[in-house]
């Protein structure tokens, strides 16, 4: 019983905001730097001297059922036919652990399935809309890397493409749908989707796998609702919605349910119309407080091992030390709580919640003559200028320096996570 409560609590801490996002969101484009051949927009080939060597895509799952409904308000009907998979998203795939063995158990997923939403579905499940969103992300990648550049083979091959997901059904299904869109269901082999057990997951801030992170950040989830402006607005919106004072509600939960309803055309309480912008703003302010990017250690523990993995993939490709020399694409299916701290660490978080199916894409380019390496980062298809880089095509050493404050080896991460002596809640 104690273990079940622990995982239920971990679900609240580690995944309460794993999948919040909005289709009704716009992103300001960062202008790319000028080159001899003009500007370098996100969807064209780099200037002639550069060769694309490797692509890594870290993406959020698609639209889903809410993690929890707003209490005491008009409930939406989350019926099973909202989760029907479109035929064009079907592929042959298998879910394994990182070594190719059986898929590990998923206590986070188990915690979702302990509850049923009004209408008969489980919380946190990928919907038909979400499946289509990931299929369309796959098609966008197809246009760039298969049709425009012939960088990838048009048929999926596991030696060329690596797929990893958090061990949660919605991210696994999202990965499947992206692959279906990228290769139009053409595959030479079974698509392996790799996962790991919850304790060692690096694709989201791992509160139950890192004791120090839980100590430093866990209490900030509750504290974020008590910040003066947020607390005042929360009291007002609870009163306007008729939510009882004893109910535990915050702006992240309200936003999650609100955006899920809007995305699927389900009715929201009419009073939310006038509160929508405030809900968006306060939810982002809460998550900013939780991740506390001004404190290096917090972001290190949130995404340090993931950033180190992305850099390792780049180094392995350049030094030809990878066990899969033909590998060109890494796909990582994750959550908003993955993308937000990554954007913060990269210095490009714009105080907007990442929408469903948002992606951060890292491209590795190499100068054909000098062999100098460059990294280009895009977010939702728009090139980004990383602070510390002198251009959108960022020299590798500058990029490594930009990430050096936050990247952590697995050994250092484990050492820090276990070093809780003398650390008190701030």
């Amino acid at each position: 019983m104690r273990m079940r409560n622990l995982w239920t609590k971990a679900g609240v801490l580690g995944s309460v905001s794993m999948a919040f996002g909005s289709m009704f969101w716009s992103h300001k484009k960062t202008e790319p730097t000028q080159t001899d051949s003009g500007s370098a927009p996100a969807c064209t080939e780099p200037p002639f001297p550069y060769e694309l060597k490797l692509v890594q895509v870290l993406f959020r799952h698609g639209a889903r059922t809410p993690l929890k409904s707003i209490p005491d308000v008009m409930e939406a009907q989350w019926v099973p036919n909202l989760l029907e998979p479109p035929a064009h998203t079907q592929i042959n795939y298998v879910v394994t652990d990182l070594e190719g063995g059986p898929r590990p158990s998923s206590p986070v997923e188990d915690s979702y399935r302990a509850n049923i939403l009004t209408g008969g579905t489980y919380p946190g499940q990928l919907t038909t809309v979400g499946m289509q969103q990931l299929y369309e992300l796959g098609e966008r990648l197809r246009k760039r890397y298969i049709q425009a550049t012939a960088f990838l083979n048009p048929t999926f091959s596991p030696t060329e493409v690596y797929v990893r997901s958090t061990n949660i059904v919605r991210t696994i299904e999202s990965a499947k749908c992206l692959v279906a869109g990228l290769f139009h269901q053409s595959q030479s082999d079974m698509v392996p989707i790799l996962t790991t057990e919850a304790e060692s997951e690096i694709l989201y801030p791992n509160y139950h796998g890192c004791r120090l992170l839980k100590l430093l950040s866990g209490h900030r989830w509750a504290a974020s609702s008590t910040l003066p402006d947020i607390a005042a607005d929360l009291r007002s919106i609870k009163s306007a919605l008729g939510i009882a004072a004893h109910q535990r509600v915050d702006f992240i939960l309200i936003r999650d349910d609100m955006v899920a309803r809007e995305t699927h055309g389900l009715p929201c309480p009419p009073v939310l119309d006038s509160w929508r912008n405030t809900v968006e703003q306060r939810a982002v302010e809460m998550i900013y407080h939780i991740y506390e990017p001004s404190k290096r250690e917090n972001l290190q523990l949130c995404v340090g091992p993931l950033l180190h993995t992305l850099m390792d993939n780049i180094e392995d490709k350049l030094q030809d030390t990878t066990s899969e020399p033909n590998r060109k694409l890494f796909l990582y299916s994750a959550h908003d709580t993955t993308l937000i701290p990554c954007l913060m660490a990269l210095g490009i978080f714009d105080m907007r919640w990442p929408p469903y199916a948002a992606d951060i894409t890292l491209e590795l380019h190499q100068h054909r003559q000098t062999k100098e390496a460059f990294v280009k980062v895009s977010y939702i298809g728009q090139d980004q200028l990383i602070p510390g880089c002198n251009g959108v095509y960022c020299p590798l050493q500058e990029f490594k320096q930009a990430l050096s404050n936050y990247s952590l080896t697995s050994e250092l991460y484990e050492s820090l996570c276990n070093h809780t002596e003398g650390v008190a809640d701030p």
Side-chain angles (χ1 to χ4, degrees), residues 320-336:
D320 201 21
T321 53
T322 174
S323 59
E324 293 287 356
N326 295 323
R327 184 148 289 153
K328 294 182 176 180
L329 175 64
F330 287 86
L331 298 172
Y332 296 101
S333 185
H335 306 267
D336 50 3

Side-chain angles (χ1 to χ4, degrees), residues 45-294:
E45 271 285 270
F48 168 73
Y50 300 97
E51 179 185 4
L52 180 60
K53 304 292 288 185
L54 184 71
V55 178
Q56 302 183 81
V57 186
L58 177 69
F59 56 95
R60 188 187 176 200
H61 58 75
R64 53 148 175 78
T65 59
L67 296 179
K68 189 177 179 183
S69 296
I70 304 170
D72 300 338
V73 302
M74 171 185 63
E75 293 191 349
Q77 295 293 316
W78 293 101
V79 295
N81 65 12
L82 290 172
L83 277 60
E84 289 295 324
H88 58 270
T89 65
Q90 299 300 323
I91 60 170
N92 294 320
Y93 71 103
V94 59
V95 183
T96 72
D97 67 13
L98 298 182
E99 286 73 45
R103 177 189 172 191
S105 61
S106 177
V108 174
E109 188 67 41
D110 292 343
S111 73
Y112 297 146
R113 291 169 187 262
N115 301 287
I116 297 180
L117 298 169
T118 303
T121 58
Y122 296 121
Q125 303 305 302
L126 193 70
T127 62
T128 308
V129 171
M131 297 171 197
Q132 182 63 27
Q133 288 172 330
L134 266 297
Y135 184 86
E136 290 171 5
L137 174 57
E139 287 204 306
R140 171 157 69 78
L141 299 176
R142 178 183 179 85
K143 286 175 184 174
R144 178 163 174 77
Y145 300 118
I146 294 178
Q147 295 174 341
T149 66
F151 175 67
L152 295 174
N153 189 300
T155 297
F156 175 89
S157 166
T159 60
E160 188 174 69
V161 182
Y162 175 93
V163 188
R164 177 170 171 177
S165 171
T166 62
N167 191 18
I168 296 172
V169 171
R170 63 177 175 273
T171 46
I172 292 169
E173 291 182 346
S174 291
K176 176 204 78 168
C177 294
L178 185 152
V179 170
L182 175 55
F183 295 101
H184 279 190
Q185 300 174 293
S186 177
Q187 54 189 116
S188 63
D189 206 342
M190 186 79 73
V191 176
I193 300 177
L194 280 61
T195 64
T196 192
E197 66 273 10
E199 293 90 343
S200 58
E201 185 61 79
I202 64 168
L203 293 185
Y204 52 70
N206 197 333
Y207 292 94
H208 39 66
C210 179
R211 289 190 294 165
L212 181 58
L213 181 61
K214 184 175 183 180
L215 186 62
L216 292 176
S217 302
H219 79 287
R220 300 184 72 82
W221 285 93
S224 62
S225 288
T226 66
L227 300 174
D229 291 346
I230 292 177
D233 278 343
L234 187 58
R235 285 192 297 272
S236 297
I237 196 172
K238 286 177 74 172
S239 174
L241 287 168
I243 299 172
H246 72 274
Q247 292 280 16
R248 298 187 65 178
V249 174
D250 60 39
F251 280 109
I252 291 177
L253 184 154
I254 294 171
R255 183 190 182 281
D256 181 46
D257 193 9
M258 177 182 77
V259 170
R261 293 181 192 224
E262 289 176 346
T263 303
H264 297 91
L266 297 175
C268 277
V271 71
L272 276 180
D273 291 345
S274 60
W275 277 94
R276 194 185 194 292
N277 290 339
T278 301
V279 170
E280 286 282 349
Q281 177 188 344
R282 297 308 191 200
V284 170
E285 289 171 355
M286 283 183 65
I287 205 72
Y288 192 86
H289 179 79
I290 289 161
Y291 288 140
E292 203 178 12
S294 62

